[in-house]
Amino acid sequence: MGIEFLDAISKKNKNNQHHGKVFVESEKRPVYEEGLNEETNTVVRLVSTKKNNKVYKVTGIEDVASKNNWKAWLYLAPVLILISVFLLYPLINTIFLAFAKDYEYATGKFSGVTLDNFGVIFGLVQAGKGGLETYFVKYAIPNTLILTIVTVPVSIILALIIAVALNSIKWFQKFLQTVFFLPYVTNAVAIGLVFSVIFDKNGVINFIFNSDKVWIYGADRWTAMIPLCIYIVWHSLPFKILILLSGLQGIDKQYYQAAQIDSASKAKTLWKITVPLLSPQILYLMITSFIASFKEYTSVVSIFGGPGTMGKNSVIPDMETIVYYVYDNAEKGFTSRAAAAGVFLFVVILVFTFIQFGVSKKRVHY
């Protein structure tokens, strides 16, 4: 169906001229109604009513819908290729490896499909001649859940308080924003080394509190969680502050003026106005923070230098996370076991994300 131009009969009638306006004899012009004509499957649009004699343009629907489709796919092709190579293929390959039996990384050979790899990581199936694997269930999963449950809400609440305070400061606001953002662009391993010195037995913390408590090297698992959680919260604050501060600056001031007129307290204004209007940003931070905490790895390496409180010499990986377990097993050559743990992590993150999106339908205000 092509594009047709219907020439309207626009003969000028000198007797119908009034105040410089030219009236076309309506009885000689074909009458078309704008919109969809279901009988001919066409759309009629009015182009001009004055100087252009081609008054009506009839456009085929199919031509408009599909004319430039190939251009859109051409523009999207580079991104789609990159996503396929670096995202889809690794994901599909990891799922395949998780179900591969007796997979050999060097040759790529395997003897069949099995669920034993998942049984091994959950301690249900013996890992060769080494007995049952208990580290994943005993350390990796609980540690990851603890870090997620503790660091995500604490970091978001602190970021909200700091962002509100920064937004109310007029002097040195840009300077303070830069200071708070510095940890985000600083090397994570370097920061971890600083924290390991601060929480050392002879470090700053024990000096301030006149204590000799062991926080990191040689500490028990639950004590070592304290500096680890503090490090994660401190390192994740800058990005959250930046997002919340940008959201605060987009809130209309009339809401706060109305709250002042009603003599609302600052706490009530924060809870009833600021938090609901920042709910899209808070939802975004919750989703990204949950994903980041489930993938926590760098913090353990930078502070402890290994999977346990004794660093690389740790016999028991009591500080191991799920991602650390994946990397550790991949390095040791247990590729299928690492892939099974990776698939488990992917499913957990997917479920948590869907739950948050479901809750957000009633709690998030756009």
Side-chain angles (χ1 to χ4, degrees):
M1 300 176 63
I3 299 177
E4 301 175 0
F5 291 93
L6 304 180
D7 295 333
I9 301 174
S10 56
K11 297 180 179 179
K12 298 180 181 179
N13 192 337
K14 295 181 180 180
N15 296 327
N16 289 336
Q17 293 183 356
H18 180 64
H19 297 293
K21 296 182 179 179
V22 179
F23 295 89
V24 181
E25 295 178 355
S26 60
E27 65 274 11
K28 294 182 181 181
R29 180 197 299 178
V31 178
Y32 294 92
E33 293 184 1
E34 285 192 292
L36 174 64
N37 188 335
E38 296 182 355
E39 295 181 358
T40 59
N41 195 29
T42 58
V43 173
V44 179
R45 296 185 181 88
L46 183 62
V47 177
S48 175
T49 58
K50 292 185 178 181
K51 297 181 180 180
N52 191 355
N53 290 333
K54 298 178 180 179
V55 181
Y56 293 101
K57 181 171 70 175
V58 182
T59 308
I61 297 176
E62 295 178 357
D63 288 346
V64 173
S66 60
K67 183 178 179 181
N68 295 321
N69 252 359
W70 67 273
K71 292 183 180 179
W73 286 109
L74 182 63
Y75 296 147
L76 289 172
V79 177
L80 293 176
I81 292 172
L82 291 175
I83 290 176
S84 301
V85 172
F86 294 103
L87 182 63
L88 294 180
Y89 171 72
L91 177 61
I92 296 171
N93 189 55
T94 301
I95 295 173
F96 161 73
L97 293 177
F99 292 96
K101 184 178 181 180
D102 300 327
Y103 178 79
E104 297 180 6
Y105 179 78
T107 61
K109 295 180 180 180
F110 63 99
S111 58
V113 178
T114 182
L115 291 173
D116 287 349
N117 297 320
F118 292 94
V120 168
I121 66 174
F122 287 111
L124 303 175
V125 178
Q126 285 191 354
K129 298 180 180 179
L132 295 177
E133 168 68 77
T134 59
Y135 293 155
F136 187 72
V137 176
K138 190 175 181 180
Y139 298 116
I141 295 177
N143 289 346
T144 304
L145 289 176
I146 291 170
L147 294 178
T148 302
I149 294 171
V150 173
T151 61
V152 172
V154 170
S155 61
I156 291 178
I157 292 172
L158 286 177
L160 178 62
I161 295 172
I162 295 172
V164 171
L166 283 176
N167 192 50
S168 61
I169 296 174
K170 302 304 179 184
W171 296 94
F172 301 110
Q173 187 182 69
K174 299 298 182 183
F175 172 75
L176 292 175
Q177 289 177 14
T178 304
V179 171
F180 276 102
F181 194 70
L182 280 177
Y184 189 73
V185 295
T186 307
N187 185 275
V189 177
I191 298 174
L193 293 174
V194 173
F195 266 76
S196 65
V197 173
I198 292 174
F199 283 92
D200 188 70
K201 187 176 180 179
N202 299 318
V204 177
I205 298 297
N206 282 345
F207 176 78
I208 293 174
F209 294 99
N210 193 22
S211 171
D212 58 352
K213 188 175 182 60
V214 178
W215 295 97
I216 297 178
Y217 299 111
D220 63 272
R221 177 186 179 189
W222 305 112
T223 302
M225 278 288 177
I226 297 174
L228 182 59
C229 289
I230 293 174
Y231 167 82
I232 294 172
V233 170
W234 185 80
H235 190 256
S236 63
L237 274 179
F239 178 73
K240 295 180 176 64
I241 293 173
L242 182 67
I243 296 297
L244 292 174
L245 193 59
S246 63
L248 282 170
Q249 293 173 352
I251 296 177
D252 197 334
K253 302 301 180 184
Q254 65 179 353
Y255 297 112
Y256 296 108
Q257 293 170 359
Q260 289 178 352
I261 293 173
D262 293 337
S263 300
S265 63
K266 292 184 178 180
K268 194 171 184 180
T269 302
L270 175 65
W271 183 250
K272 296 293 184 179
I273 297 177
T274 305
V275 172
L277 292 177
L278 283 178
S279 55
Q281 287 83 3
I282 294 175
L283 172 65
Y284 168 75
L285 291 177
M286 285 184 63
I287 293 174
T288 54
S289 299
F290 266 99
I291 294 173
S293 61
F294 273 114
K295 298 191 301 181
E296 198 62 54
Y297 168 76
T298 308
S299 58
V300 178
V301 176
S302 57
I303 291 181
F304 300 100
T309 56
M310 297 303 295
K312 294 181 179 180
N313 299 321
S314 295
V315 178
I316 300 176
D318 52 349
M319 299 309 297
E320 198 170 53
T321 60
I322 295 178
V323 173
Y324 200 115
Y325 181 89
V326 172
Y327 283 136
D328 191 35
N329 279 273
E331 185 179 357
K332 292 176 180 178
F334 303 129
T335 308
S336 294
R337 195 183 304 179
V343 171
F344 170 78
L345 178 62
F346 171 74
V347 172
V348 170
I349 291 175
L350 195 65
V351 170
F352 267 84
T353 304
F354 276 119
I355 291 174
Q356 290 181 82
F357 273 120
V359 173
S360 69
K361 292 181 179 178
K362 296 182 179 179
R363 300 293 181 182
V364 178
H365 307 281
Y366 293 99

mmCIF file of all heavy atoms in Angstrom, residues 64-82:
data_model
loop_
_atom_site.group_PDB
_atom_site.id
_atom_site.type_symbol
_atom_site.label_atom_id
_atom_site.label_comp_id
_atom_site.label_asym_id
_atom_site.label_seq_id
_atom_site.Cartn_x
_atom_site.Cartn_y
_atom_site.Cartn_z
ATOM 1 N N VAL A 64 3.904 2.655 7.152
ATOM 2 C CA VAL A 64 4.361 3.469 8.266
ATOM 3 C C VAL A 64 4.977 2.594 9.353
ATOM 4 O O VAL A 64 5.975 2.937 9.963
ATOM 5 C CB VAL A 64 3.193 4.294 8.840
ATOM 6 C CG1 VAL A 64 3.615 5.020 10.109
ATOM 7 C CG2 VAL A 64 2.704 5.281 7.799
ATOM 8 N N ALA A 65 4.411 1.424 9.599
ATOM 9 C CA ALA A 65 4.864 0.557 10.692
ATOM 10 C C ALA A 65 6.182 -0.137 10.389
ATOM 11 O O ALA A 65 6.968 -0.396 11.284
ATOM 12 C CB ALA A 65 3.793 -0.485 11.000
ATOM 13 N N SER A 66 6.444 -0.450 9.132
ATOM 14 C CA SER A 66 7.591 -1.304 8.829
ATOM 15 C C SER A 66 8.647 -0.661 7.930
ATOM 16 O O SER A 66 9.619 -1.313 7.585
ATOM 17 C CB SER A 66 7.102 -2.585 8.147
ATOM 18 O OG SER A 66 6.419 -2.262 6.945
ATOM 19 N N LYS A 67 8.468 0.603 7.565
ATOM 20 C CA LYS A 67 9.357 1.216 6.600
ATOM 21 C C LYS A 67 10.796 1.291 7.091
ATOM 22 O O LYS A 67 11.734 0.972 6.363
ATOM 23 C CB LYS A 67 8.853 2.627 6.266
ATOM 24 C CG LYS A 67 9.681 3.315 5.201
ATOM 25 C CD LYS A 67 9.104 4.687 4.892
ATOM 26 C CE LYS A 67 9.942 5.395 3.841
ATOM 27 N NZ LYS A 67 9.414 6.734 3.532
ATOM 28 N N ASN A 68 11.003 1.696 8.377
ATOM 29 C CA ASN A 68 12.350 1.916 8.896
ATOM 30 C C ASN A 68 12.784 0.864 9.919
ATOM 31 O O ASN A 68 13.670 1.121 10.733
ATOM 32 C CB ASN A 68 12.439 3.310 9.534
ATOM 33 C CG ASN A 68 12.255 4.409 8.513
ATOM 34 O OD1 ASN A 68 12.750 4.298 7.391
ATOM 35 N ND2 ASN A 68 11.553 5.459 8.890
ATOM 36 N N ASN A 69 12.159 -0.295 9.881
ATOM 37 C CA ASN A 69 12.511 -1.340 10.852
ATOM 38 C C ASN A 69 13.963 -1.766 10.745
ATOM 39 O O ASN A 69 14.647 -1.959 11.757
ATOM 40 C CB ASN A 69 11.614 -2.571 10.643
ATOM 41 C CG ASN A 69 10.599 -2.692 11.770
ATOM 42 O OD1 ASN A 69 10.579 -1.877 12.686
ATOM 43 N ND2 ASN A 69 9.769 -3.695 11.694
ATOM 44 N N TRP A 70 14.457 -1.911 9.544
ATOM 45 C CA TRP A 70 15.818 -2.395 9.346
ATOM 46 C C TRP A 70 16.840 -1.416 9.899
ATOM 47 O O TRP A 70 17.908 -1.807 10.378
ATOM 48 C CB TRP A 70 16.076 -2.657 7.869
ATOM 49 C CG TRP A 70 16.072 -1.414 7.018
ATOM 50 C CD1 TRP A 70 15.001 -0.821 6.447
ATOM 51 C CD2 TRP A 70 17.210 -0.617 6.680
ATOM 52 N NE1 TRP A 70 15.380 0.303 5.758
ATOM 53 C CE2 TRP A 70 16.745 0.446 5.875
ATOM 54 C CE3 TRP A 70 18.573 -0.709 6.961
ATOM 55 C CZ2 TRP A 70 17.577 1.423 5.365
ATOM 56 C CZ3 TRP A 70 19.417 0.256 6.454
ATOM 57 C CH2 TRP A 70 18.925 1.307 5.661
ATOM 58 N N LYS A 71 16.509 -0.119 9.869
ATOM 59 C CA LYS A 71 17.418 0.888 10.424
ATOM 60 C C LYS A 71 17.540 0.740 11.941
ATOM 61 O O LYS A 71 18.634 0.862 12.495
ATOM 62 C CB LYS A 71 16.935 2.289 10.067
ATOM 63 C CG LYS A 71 17.020 2.628 8.593
ATOM 64 C CD LYS A 71 16.580 4.057 8.341
ATOM 65 C CE LYS A 71 16.661 4.408 6.846
ATOM 66 N NZ LYS A 71 16.219 5.800 6.595
ATOM 67 N N ALA A 72 16.413 0.480 12.597
ATOM 68 C CA ALA A 72 16.448 0.307 14.053
ATOM 69 C C ALA A 72 17.321 -0.890 14.438
ATOM 70 O O ALA A 72 18.138 -0.810 15.360
ATOM 71 C CB ALA A 72 15.033 0.119 14.585
ATOM 72 N N TRP A 73 17.148 -2.007 13.726
ATOM 73 C CA TRP A 73 17.960 -3.195 14.015
ATOM 74 C C TRP A 73 19.441 -2.938 13.708
ATOM 75 O O TRP A 73 20.319 -3.461 14.401
ATOM 76 C CB TRP A 73 17.468 -4.397 13.215
ATOM 77 C CG TRP A 73 16.187 -4.954 13.739
ATOM 78 C CD1 TRP A 73 14.956 -4.890 13.166
ATOM 79 C CD2 TRP A 73 16.009 -5.665 14.975
ATOM 80 N NE1 TRP A 73 14.013 -5.506 13.947
ATOM 81 C CE2 TRP A 73 14.641 -6.000 15.071
ATOM 82 C CE3 TRP A 73 16.874 -6.060 15.996
ATOM 83 C CZ2 TRP A 73 14.125 -6.701 16.145
ATOM 84 C CZ3 TRP A 73 16.354 -6.755 17.081
ATOM 85 C CH2 TRP A 73 14.995 -7.073 17.137
ATOM 86 N N LEU A 74 19.709 -2.130 12.685
ATOM 87 C CA LEU A 74 21.085 -1.790 12.350
ATOM 88 C C LEU A 74 21.740 -0.978 13.469
ATOM 89 O O LEU A 74 22.900 -1.217 13.834
ATOM 90 C CB LEU A 74 21.131 -1.008 11.040
ATOM 91 C CG LEU A 74 22.524 -0.616 10.526
ATOM 92 C CD1 LEU A 74 23.348 -1.862 10.219
ATOM 93 C CD2 LEU A 74 22.407 0.266 9.284
ATOM 94 N N TYR A 75 21.008 -0.015 14.020
ATOM 95 C CA TYR A 75 21.537 0.800 15.109
ATOM 96 C C TYR A 75 21.745 -0.026 16.384
ATOM 97 O O TYR A 75 22.677 0.226 17.162
ATOM 98 C CB TYR A 75 20.599 1.971 15.407
ATOM 99 C CG TYR A 75 20.458 2.945 14.259
ATOM 100 C CD1 TYR A 75 19.266 3.630 14.025
ATOM 101 C CD2 TYR A 75 21.517 3.183 13.381
ATOM 102 C CE1 TYR A 75 19.129 4.514 12.967
ATOM 103 C CE2 TYR A 75 21.395 4.072 12.328
ATOM 104 C CZ TYR A 75 20.203 4.735 12.122
ATOM 105 O OH TYR A 75 20.074 5.606 11.077
ATOM 106 N N LEU A 76 20.870 -0.995 16.615
ATOM 107 C CA LEU A 76 20.956 -1.818 17.818
ATOM 108 C C LEU A 76 21.973 -2.949 17.694
ATOM 109 O O LEU A 76 22.341 -3.559 18.706
ATOM 110 C CB LEU A 76 19.588 -2.427 18.141
ATOM 111 C CG LEU A 76 18.518 -1.467 18.666
ATOM 112 C CD1 LEU A 76 17.173 -2.184 18.762
ATOM 113 C CD2 LEU A 76 18.907 -0.920 20.034
ATOM 114 N N ALA A 77 22.416 -3.234 16.481
ATOM 115 C CA ALA A 77 23.284 -4.398 16.243
ATOM 116 C C ALA A 77 24.551 -4.405 17.102
ATOM 117 O O ALA A 77 24.879 -5.439 17.702
ATOM 118 C CB ALA A 77 23.641 -4.476 14.761
ATOM 119 N N PRO A 78 25.319 -3.295 17.205
ATOM 120 C CA PRO A 78 26.541 -3.355 18.040
ATOM 121 C C PRO A 78 26.263 -3.718 19.489
ATOM 122 O O PRO A 78 26.975 -4.531 20.080
ATOM 123 C CB PRO A 78 27.112 -1.932 17.918
ATOM 124 C CG PRO A 78 26.547 -1.399 16.644
ATOM 125 C CD PRO A 78 25.185 -1.991 16.523
ATOM 126 N N VAL A 79 25.213 -3.116 20.065
ATOM 127 C CA VAL A 79 24.875 -3.407 21.458
ATOM 128 C C VAL A 79 24.410 -4.851 21.608
ATOM 129 O O VAL A 79 24.795 -5.547 22.561
ATOM 130 C CB VAL A 79 23.789 -2.438 21.963
ATOM 131 C CG1 VAL A 79 23.374 -2.785 23.380
ATOM 132 C CG2 VAL A 79 24.279 -1.004 21.891
ATOM 133 N N LEU A 80 23.584 -5.311 20.678
ATOM 134 C CA LEU A 80 23.088 -6.685 20.751
ATOM 135 C C LEU A 80 24.227 -7.694 20.623
ATOM 136 O O LEU A 80 24.230 -8.732 21.295
ATOM 137 C CB LEU A 80 22.054 -6.922 19.646
ATOM 138 C CG LEU A 80 20.741 -6.144 19.774
ATOM 139 C CD1 LEU A 80 19.855 -6.396 18.564
ATOM 140 C CD2 LEU A 80 20.012 -6.539 21.051
ATOM 141 N N ILE A 81 25.203 -7.389 19.778
ATOM 142 C CA ILE A 81 26.355 -8.291 19.637
ATOM 143 C C ILE A 81 27.165 -8.340 20.927
ATOM 144 O O ILE A 81 27.553 -9.428 21.392
ATOM 145 C CB ILE A 81 27.239 -7.833 18.455
ATOM 146 C CG1 ILE A 81 26.491 -8.032 17.127
ATOM 147 C CG2 ILE A 81 28.552 -8.600 18.429
ATOM 148 C CD1 ILE A 81 27.205 -7.434 15.934
ATOM 149 N N LEU A 82 27.422 -7.184 21.534
ATOM 150 C CA LEU A 82 28.173 -7.148 22.787
ATOM 151 C C LEU A 82 27.434 -7.876 23.907
ATOM 152 O O LEU A 82 28.046 -8.617 24.696
ATOM 153 C CB LEU A 82 28.440 -5.695 23.191
ATOM 154 C CG LEU A 82 29.425 -4.922 22.311
ATOM 155 C CD1 LEU A 82 29.491 -3.467 22.744
ATOM 156 C CD2 LEU A 82 30.815 -5.544 22.374
#
